[in-house]
Amino acid sequence: MSYVYLLYSQTADKYYLGYTKDLSRRVLEHQTNQGRWTRGKGPWELVYYEEFSIDCEARKRELQLKKSKNRKYLMWLITNGPGTSVD
């Protein structure tokens, strides 16, 4: 399995969007300051993720989300999940 995930830091008021094959390990790495961008900005909370059986689909989704990334859309996605339309 591959995952696209979204973390949120209330302390820094920031979101982080990433991709991994091992979600629990990767979240732990962020929590222990092993991620370059997330270092020192935690604690991080896993607020959203999508699961993919095909690795390249997860990578495509990560890029799609990063290209359209804005705070309002990410908050909408957290609330509504994938597969729903923005109205």
Side-chain angles (χ1 to χ4, degrees), residues 15-75:
Y15 286 98
Y16 176 81
L17 179 64
Y19 151 85
T20 187
K21 289 186 178 184
D22 187 340
L23 186 58
S24 58
R25 177 193 53 81
R26 190 64 180 127
V27 171
L28 180 62
E29 288 175 354
H30 289 296
Q31 294 293 23
T32 57
N33 291 316
Q34 295 178 42
R36 190 182 73 190
W37 190 89
T38 57
R39 186 176 304 133
K41 297 176 182 147
W44 293 94
E45 177 185 358
L46 178 65
V47 293
Y48 178 82
Y49 70 93
E50 294 178 22
E51 186 176 298
F52 297 85
S53 57
I54 301 172
D55 187 62
C56 66
E57 293 300 318
R59 289 181 181 268
K60 284 180 191 177
R61 178 65 169 154
E62 179 196 21
L63 291 174
Q64 176 191 28
L65 288 172
K66 284 185 173 181
K67 285 181 181 179
S68 65
K69 184 176 165 182
N70 67 57
R71 190 177 191 89
K72 185 177 177 181
Y73 179 70
L74 293 179
M75 291 171 66

Side-chain angles (χ1 to χ4, degrees), residues 48 61 72-73 76-77 79-87:
Y48 178 82
R61 178 65 169 154
K72 185 177 177 181
Y73 179 70
W76 177 89
L77 192 60
T79 303
N80 297 289
T84 54
S85 61
V86 180
D87 291 322

